[in-house]
Amino acid sequence: MLELSHFLGEEHRQLAILGEGNTSAKIDAETFFVKASGSCLGTLGVDDAVACRFDALLPMLDEDAIGDQEIEDRLLGCRVDSTAKKPSVETLFHAYLLSLPGIEFVGHTHSIAVNRILCSPLAEQFATQRLFPDEVVCCGAQSVSIPYVDPGLKLSQVIRQKTQAFLDEFGVPPRVILLHNHGLITIGKTPGAVKAAMLMAHKAAEIFAGAAALGGPVFMDETEVNRIANRIDEHYRQQALKL
């Protein structure tokens, strides 16, 4: 988790600055590490990775009448070590995403290139259509698209709802979740999968913005996207890249 955090937090990547973004990594079926609140991805230390319990967090996603102070108390109560730092306010969605089959790592950043689109009327197009083959390979045929929701419990509940709908439609977890007016989340079995989806989404956003300035993006046809998503050679490449 530390190496992934430092990679995503390098300022030249323009994914996160100061205390932006967070990461998590599954420890076992009961616990996971998540970035401490207010810590920086680029300089994350061992003490900034807080071990939390799934069973103290996941039930909260089924509750609606929880005030801010109770959420704060329960975030502190989910820690394996009561002397550890406070986990991120977004720990709840990390707990949910790490409970999905095959998901071991989660990265969340505020990519400048991606947010440029997510703060525009074109966010939905960027989520549901693809521009080039490698975007399909690394980010999947579509991304989950989430309108702006207050960070914390409500956002985590909507992420669960929209991700479950994606699972029902496509049969696999998404690689990319786009949070309008906020940022993006990438998930995967390995740190490499999280990095690849994050960097490719960032690249796709830069291409999308450039294409929009030159008359509008020309998207791949749905049959072309499905062809790339299901090609044997592309699956081999995904395995070689540990995606």
Side-chain angles (χ1 to χ4, degrees), residues 219-237:
F219 297 107
M220 296 174 66
D221 184 84
E222 184 178 354
T223 57
E224 296 169 336
V225 171
N226 289 335
R227 168 66 173 152
I228 294 297
N230 294 290
R231 281 176 60 132
I232 293 174
D233 59 332
E234 295 296 4
H235 288 173
Y236 179 83
R237 190 152 69 103

Side-chain angles (χ1 to χ4, degrees), residues 115-135:
N115 264 343
R116 185 181 294 128
I117 298 168
L118 298 182
C119 295
S120 83
L122 303 181
E124 198 67 26
Q125 279 189 322
F126 181 65
T128 58
Q129 302 192 65
R130 293 296 183 244
L131 288 162
F132 54 94
D134 278 345
E135 184 184 11

Side-chain angles (χ1 to χ4, degrees), residues 14 84 94 107 148:
Q14 297 190 320
H94 285 274
Y148 183 80

Side-chain angles (χ1 to χ4, degrees), residues 50-72:
V50 184
C52 299
R53 297 190 304 275
F54 285 106
D55 63 4
L57 293 165
L58 292 177
M60 293 174 66
L61 295 173
D62 294 316
E63 302 179 43
D64 292 323
I66 309 179
D68 290 345
Q69 186 57 57
E70 184 178 354
I71 291 172
E72 185 92 353

Side-chain angles (χ1 to χ4, degrees), residues 27-59:
I27 301 172
D28 53 38
E30 287 78 38
T31 56
F32 65 98
F33 283 121
V34 70
K35 170 182 171 284
S37 180
S39 56
C40 297
L41 287 175
T43 57
L44 204 74
V46 173
D47 292 343
D48 298 317
V50 184
C52 299
R53 297 190 304 275
F54 285 106
D55 63 4
L57 293 165
L58 292 177

Side-chain angles (χ1 to χ4, degrees), residues 64-131:
D64 292 323
I66 309 179
D68 290 345
Q69 186 57 57
E70 184 178 354
I71 291 172
E72 185 92 353
D73 294 341
R74 290 171 73 169
L75 278 174
L76 291 171
C78 79
R79 296 170 298 171
V80 173
D81 178 358
S82 62
T83 67
K85 295 180 178 180
K86 175 191 167 186
S88 166
V89 70
E90 293 171 330
T91 295
L92 278 163
F93 76 61
H94 285 274
Y96 165 68
L97 294 171
L98 290 171
S99 73
L100 296 175
I103 302 304
E104 305 280 338
F105 295 88
V106 176
H108 167 48
T109 72
H110 298 171
S111 158
I112 292 175
V114 174
N115 264 343
R116 185 181 294 128
I117 298 168
L118 298 182
C119 295
S120 83
L122 303 181
E124 198 67 26
Q125 279 189 322
F126 181 65
T128 58
Q129 302 192 65
R130 293 296 183 244
L131 288 162

